[in-house]
């Protein structure tokens, strides 16, 4: 992996980085980045906001289903929320590179708060119609076009390069914790007082991140030079990524996994309903156990302190293999238990890819690169869901889940070999402290090992 801004060298997923580089293996405190005051404020605001976001997701789907009685309408709502990222995501990255991140986030977070409050007023007054929800979902999607790459790249300004992986991992742990809490609170609120109050709670939850952004000390931010306005900046960003194997192949890998391996609503609902005939309770259990695994994976990534491409490749291989194993699970309890390690490795892929891309990118290009990453990552599932759904409907849930895992594992294997070849690495098989060891090493080191043997 390249170690400096704009470095074009290929990654070396073998663990033999120079000890002075950020890629060096090292342990760090699991919560090290929380010692940074600005990041601590950012994290606190996101805790509250993420819970509100999960509440709104549940309330929004339930409201559309209540208004229309149609699952297709729920799908349309989801598509409208992701559509702006697919259409305008790259332009959002160009804009983010030109803007100061903190003021940009103040605008995007405020706009999302207004959208949630708009839905709350319409729902509480009994005037809401399904097209209102469609408009609100699309408006939320437009805000995320700028908000997502701005939030992702702002983390580097908060903590600096050395603690970037720790901060990204804690952000993921934050989101997964909210995934455990938000839907449960939303369920209680919807059944107790109605969906409108869940929208209101989400709108008010944005007070926390907005306040925390305003309380940050600008002088303690890590300065990043902004990109001046100019022509061809979108094309420049694409050329930048295309010329760096550590970026383009990581994004391609995430694209395959996100498109075919991360369609859990399709897989898990089919297993709960068709394979085990256990209903909504089993579906909820599967999602909860996966969230527990994802939270554990995020915390383990925070503990590692480095982002290594060999970890990314290994985690992607393990993720795909576990999906194929789970597809053959004969009993519900075994399938449910496998959701935990699947959650761990899915989050390891997510965090490691995110961090390695940010650390390999020139700060002036980070907005555009992260926009491309988020567009591929978030846009993959809506594109792959119909394909995976067709396979599942035609050949069964087990075949659909196994196919998704096979695509993920194959992509990891092929891209791992490509990165090894680009980095002039060769496979080394030997013994270390009485145990077999298989790893990639530079060609020169392999020859040294062969001579020593």
């Amino acid at each position: 992996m390249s170690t400096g801004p704009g470095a074009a060298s290929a990654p070396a997923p073998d663990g033999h980085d120079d000890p002075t580089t950020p890629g060096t293996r090292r342990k760090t405190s699991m919560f090290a980045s929380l010692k940074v005051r600005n990041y601590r404020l950012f994290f606190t605001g996101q805790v509250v906001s993420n819970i509100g976001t999960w509440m709104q997701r549940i309330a929004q789907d339930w409201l559309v289903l209540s208004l229309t009685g149609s699952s297709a309408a729920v799908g349309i709502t989801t598509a409208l929320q992701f559509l702006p990222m697919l259409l305008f995501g790259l332009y959002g990255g160009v804009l983010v590179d030109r803007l100061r991140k903190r003021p940009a986030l103040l605008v995007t977070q405020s706009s999302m708060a207004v959208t949630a409050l708009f839905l709350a007023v319409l729902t509480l007054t009994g005037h809401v119609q399904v097209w209102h929800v469609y408009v609100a979902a699309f408006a939320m999607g437009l805000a995320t076009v700028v908000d997502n790459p701005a939030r992702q790249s702002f983390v580097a300004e908060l903590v600096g390069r050395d603690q970037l992986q720790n901060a990204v991992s804690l952000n993921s742990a934050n989101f997964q914790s909210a995934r455990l809490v938000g839907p449960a609170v939303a369920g209680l609120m919807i059944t107790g007082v109605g969906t409108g109050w869940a929208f209101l709670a989400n709108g008010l939850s944005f007070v926390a991140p907005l306040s925390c952004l305003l309380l940050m000390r600008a002088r303690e931010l890590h300065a990043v030079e902004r990109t001046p306005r100019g022509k061809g900046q979108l094309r420049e960003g694409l050329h930048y990524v295309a010329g760096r194997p550590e970026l383009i192949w990581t994004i391609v890998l995430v694209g395959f996994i996100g498109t075919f391996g991360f369609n859990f609503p399709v897989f898990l609902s089919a297993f709960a309903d068709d394979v085990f005939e256990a209903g909504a309770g089993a579906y909820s259990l599967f999602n909860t156990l996966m969230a527990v695994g994802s939270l554990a994976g995020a915390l383990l990534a925070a503990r590692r302190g480095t982002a290594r491409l060999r970890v990314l490749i290994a985690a992607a291989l393990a993720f795909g293999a576990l999906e194929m194993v789970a597809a053959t699970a004969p009993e519900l309890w075994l399938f449910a238990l496998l959701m935990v390690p699947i959650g761990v490795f899915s989050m390891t892929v997510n965090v490691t890819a995110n961090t390695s891309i940010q650390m390999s990118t020139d700060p002036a290009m980070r907005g555009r690169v992260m926009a491309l990453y988020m567009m591929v990552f978030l846009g993959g599932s809506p594109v792959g869901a119909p394909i995976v759904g067709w396979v599942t409907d035609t050949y069964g849930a087990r075949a659909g889940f196994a196919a998704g895992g096979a695509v993920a594992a194959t992509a990891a294997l092929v891209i791992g070999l490509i990165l090894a070849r680009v980095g002039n690495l060769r496979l080394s098989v030997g013994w270390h402290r009485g145990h077999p060891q298989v790893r990639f090493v530079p060609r020169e080191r392999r020859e040294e090992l062969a001579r020593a043997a």
Side-chain angles (χ1 to χ4, degrees), residues 85 88-94 145 148-149 366-376:
M85 181 61 72
F88 312 118
L90 292 176
Y91 295 99
V94 172
V145 167
N148 272 341
R366 192 168 283 143
R368 279 164 282 183
V369 174
M370 291 310 297
L372 178 61
Y373 169 79
M374 296 304 296
M375 186 181 74
V376 170

Side-chain angles (χ1 to χ4, degrees), residues 51-292:
I51 292 174
T53 297
W54 277 107
M55 291 174 65
Q56 171 132 344
R57 287 187 181 186
I58 301 301
Q60 179 177 276
D61 291 348
W62 188 258
L63 176 60
V64 171
L65 196 60
S66 300
L67 290 171
T68 66
S70 168
S71 296
V74 177
I76 291 171
T77 309
T78 302
L80 286 170
Q81 197 155 335
F82 282 106
L83 186 61
M85 181 61 72
L86 286 171
L87 295 177
F88 312 118
L90 292 176
Y91 295 99
V94 172
L95 190 60
V96 165
D97 280 337
R98 295 174 182 172
L99 299 174
R100 288 187 297 155
K101 308 301 184 294
R102 186 162 63 140
L105 287 170
L106 286 168
V107 173
T108 58
Q109 297 279 298
S110 297
S111 66
M112 287 190 280
V114 169
T115 303
L117 294 174
F118 165 76
L119 265 184
V121 170
L122 288 175
T123 307
L124 291 172
T125 58
H127 293 97
V128 70
Q129 298 179 38
V130 68
W131 71 268
H132 294 141
V133 187
Y134 289 163
V135 171
F138 189 76
M140 282 281 191
L142 283 175
T144 61
V145 167
V146 174
D147 188 78
N148 272 341
R151 274 191 299 109
Q152 297 288 332
S153 53
F154 188 49
V155 173
E157 295 186 29
L158 291 170
V159 300
R161 183 183 179 87
D162 289 345
Q163 303 212 47
L164 182 59
Q165 170 150 342
N166 183 262
V168 170
S169 303
L170 291 181
N171 284 350
S172 299
N174 185 330
F175 188 75
Q176 295 304 322
S177 299
R179 182 181 175 185
L180 292 172
V181 177
V185 176
L188 292 173
M189 190 169 287
I190 291 168
T191 56
V193 293
T195 54
W197 294 98
F199 294 132
L200 179 62
N202 182 44
L204 295 177
S205 75
F206 283 98
V207 171
L210 290 170
S211 299
C212 290
L213 285 167
L214 292 170
L215 288 171
M216 289 179 184
R217 296 170 182 163
R219 66 181 181 275
E220 295 179 7
L221 294 173
H222 293 256
V224 173
E225 183 178 350
R226 284 182 287 156
T227 303
R229 184 181 181 89
K231 293 182 178 181
Q233 290 178 333
L234 176 57
R235 185 170 59 253
E236 181 186 9
L238 293 174
H239 287 166
Y240 179 87
V241 171
R244 287 159 175 77
E246 72 275 27
L247 297 180
I248 186 64
W249 289 114
T250 298
I251 291 173
V252 169
L253 176 59
V254 168
F256 273 107
I257 293 176
T259 301
F260 299 102
F262 274 19
N263 284 290
F264 296 116
V266 176
F267 298 140
L268 301 187
S269 60
F271 267 84
D273 192 40
D274 300 331
V275 177
F276 299 119
E277 300 180 350
Y283 180 57
S284 175
L285 174 65
F286 297 157
N287 279 283
T288 299
L289 290 174
M290 183 169 292
V292 169

